[in-house]
Amino acid sequence: MFSRFTNIINALQALDKMYTNSEMVRKILRCLPRTWMPKVTAIEEAKNLNVLALEDLLGSLMTHELSMQKKDDDEEKEKKKKKIVALKSPQTKDSKDDDDDDEELAFITWRFKKFLASKRKFGG
């Protein structure tokens, strides 16, 4: 971002448009995304933007970016470290329950077939 900003500023200087150091600092702080707003607020509160050098601002922002990346990397590593534990269910089957389920299914199937037969019988 800083190299693009510098290229734009240099092109504007070639067109005789000059910016002061404080104007450039304020422009950079304004163009940062919302996730950087706490850092922007901290810089605005802690430092005098009229005398803050552009290089100092860049150093502060780069340090913050590195710490954010490190935090994201650490969080990603923590997610990978967490193991999901799945418990195995016992494979024992109760034959009585299976027989009951089979009987219910057979009864429902028989009733449904009987229903369809009665529909055909009455022309429905």
Side-chain angles (χ1 to χ4, degrees), residues 76-107:
E76 190 173 315
K77 286 179 184 177
E78 285 295 320
K79 285 181 183 177
K80 287 182 180 179
K81 284 183 181 178
K82 288 182 181 177
K83 293 183 180 179
I84 298 174
V85 177
L87 301 176
K88 292 183 179 181
S89 65
Q91 294 295 326
T92 60
K93 291 185 178 179
D94 190 6
S95 61
K96 184 181 179 187
D97 289 341
D98 288 343
D99 290 342
D100 289 344
D101 291 343
D102 290 342
E103 287 177 14
E104 286 181 34
L105 183 61
F107 180 71

Side-chain angles (χ1 to χ4, degrees), residues 33-81:
R34 284 189 186 268
T35 56
W36 287 71
M37 291 328 282
K39 181 64 175 178
V40 170
T41 304
I43 290 172
E44 289 174 346
E45 293 291 327
K47 299 182 181 184
N48 184 358
L49 298 182
N50 293 328
V51 295
L52 179 63
L54 197 58
E55 292 78 20
D56 292 340
L57 174 66
L58 177 65
S60 178
L61 294 176
M62 288 176 71
T63 303
H64 181 66
E65 183 178 29
L66 289 174
S67 66
M68 284 178 24
Q69 285 177 348
K70 185 177 184 303
K71 184 178 179 184
D72 290 343
D73 291 344
D74 290 345
E75 287 175 357
E76 190 173 315
K77 286 179 184 177
E78 285 295 320
K79 285 181 183 177
K80 287 182 180 179
K81 284 183 181 178

